Amino acid sequence: MLDIKNLHVKLEDEDKQILKGVDLTVEAGKVHAIMGPNGSGKSTLSYVLSGREGYEVTDGSATLLGEDILELEPEERAAAGMFLAFQYPVEIPGVGNMTFLRSAVNAQRKARGEEEMSSSEFLKVIREKAKDLKIDQDMLKRPVNVGFSGGEKKRNEILQMAMLEPKLCILDETDSGLDVDAMKLVSDGVNALRSPDRGFLVITHYQRLLDHIVPDVVHIMSDGRIVKTGGPELAREVEANGYAEFKETA
Ligand code: ADP
Ligand code: MG
Ligand code: MG
């Protein structure tokens, strides 16, 4: 599904190499986790995959379902099936949550050459999904994320993910200081959306999130590279021993 080969990335306006040859494959139906010390390049990887400005790919490739995503605009990446959830959800004053979601869903459909969802169909689908996620109707009408509590923002993020039905979900939860309740929301949401044709890349500094979202594969990133890959036990090993041994490896 996601195939990253020898990815090298530097800052655009500084002579600083951040990713130094990342190799990573995420298969459909699998949850891959990336852990690693602060500053190892985890967030940079998710930013580059999302198409954020300020980074320059100097070597390597990244494809989603065979398509070169690094050449695409951020909205084209979304249309191709990529969804990115970040630590700090954007607030959009003046735009109702439901209106925002409807235009996001329809923009994605349009980019795929599909018909728009009618407003009655959209209402039906969003009400069902909101109910599943225990999101009340009031939250659907409020401006996107404005004045939402941390838990409401997380719930809303999962709702966005559920509505867009992405092929690949990337979550960067590093250093987000998720409390236990928010962590449970995120992990329940991810677990509910796990499916044979959907892959996940879950980025986290801490092991505790991975107690709830049990990954199929765990990668350790250090100094801009994946330095070790294993099963869920690798996350527990890191929890017990810290990242020191991987820093030496790098
Ligand atoms: P992680 O998410 O693993 O903590 P980051 O990807 O945030 O790591 O950062 C990797 C390295 O790149 C760090 O040394 C960080 O300071 C640097 N870095 C990332 N983005 C920028 C930027 N826009 N300007 C300056 N330094 C940056
Ligand atoms: Mg960091
Ligand atoms: Mg980070």
Side-chain angles (χ1 to χ4, degrees):
M1 174 155 287
L2 175 68
D3 215 355
I4 300 173
K5 288 204 181 94
N6 193 34
L7 190 64
H8 285 70
V9 172
K10 68 180 274 296
L11 291 176
E12 213 166 50
D13 32 83
E14 251 181 79
D15 199 16
K16 182 172 178 179
Q17 198 74 30
I18 302 177
L19 300 184
K20 304 173 180 173
V22 173
D23 288 293
L24 176 71
T25 301
V26 178
E27 308 84 359
K30 301 287 185 202
V31 175
H32 284 239
I34 297 184
M35 302 180 72
N38 265 324
S40 56
K42 304 182 300 297
S43 293
T44 299
L45 177 64
S46 64
Y47 295 152
V48 168
L49 292 174
S50 73
R52 183 181 284 212
E53 287 176 15
Y55 301 94
E56 187 188 328
V57 175
T58 53
D59 202 1
S61 63
T63 59
L64 179 67
L65 296 161
E67 187 174 7
D68 178 3
I69 46 171
L70 299 177
E71 291 300 317
L72 303 178
E73 296 299 321
E75 54 276 15
E76 293 171 323
R77 299 179 196 212
M82 214 165 78
F83 180 91
L84 280 115
F86 284 112
Q87 318 178 199
Y88 307 109
V90 190
E91 300 186 4
I92 316 177
V95 179
N97 206 17
M98 194 134 66
T99 309
F100 171 78
L101 269 173
R102 187 160 173 231
S103 47
V105 167
N106 282 332
Q108 188 189 49
R109 291 192 160 215
K110 199 174 161 200
R112 288 175 179 169
E114 296 167 5
E115 245 179 73
E116 287 199 356
M117 221 188 225
S118 72
S119 80
S120 61
E121 190 190 352
F122 177 81
L123 269 178
K124 188 171 154 257
V125 174
I126 198 169
R127 281 190 177 137
E128 264 169 33
K129 296 203 193 265
K131 201 174 148 210
D132 291 344
L133 291 166
K134 300 187 181 69
I135 289 174
D136 61 36
Q137 299 298 313
D138 179 54
M139 208 172 111
L140 295 179
K141 291 179 196 143
R142 283 159 60 190
V144 182
N145 287 326
V146 178
F148 284 22
S149 70
E152 285 173 335
K153 284 181 180 170
K154 282 288 145 193
R155 219 175 257 144
N156 205 38
E157 193 173 83
I158 300 292
L159 176 67
Q160 292 173 358
M161 206 189 286
M163 288 303 293
L164 289 165
E165 302 185 329
K167 292 286 180 204
L168 176 75
C169 303
I170 301 172
L171 293 92
D172 185 355
E173 302 295 347
T174 310
D175 306 332
S176 61
L178 289 183
D179 64 23
V180 175
D181 292 338
M183 200 153 52
K184 185 124 189 7
L185 277 171
V186 173
S187 44
D188 286 352
V190 166
N191 289 332
L193 290 172
R194 279 175 117 149
S195 94
D197 59 359
R198 180 171 294 142
F200 287 87
L201 189 57
V202 179
I203 298 172
T204 181
H205 182 76
Y206 300 106
Q207 183 257 344
R208 50 186 196 159
L209 183 66
L210 306 179
D211 283 336
H212 303 277
I213 305 172
V214 180
D216 298 290
V217 184
V218 175
H219 307 275
I220 308 294
M221 184 179 268
S222 182
D223 195 24
R225 286 186 198 97
I226 305 284
V227 294
K228 190 163 185 180
T229 295
E233 75 288 347
L234 187 53
R236 289 188 291 272
E237 198 182 301
V238 163
E239 183 71 3
N241 304 329
Y243 287 115
E245 73 168 285
F246 303 110
K247 284 183 178 159
E248 281 157 23
T249 312

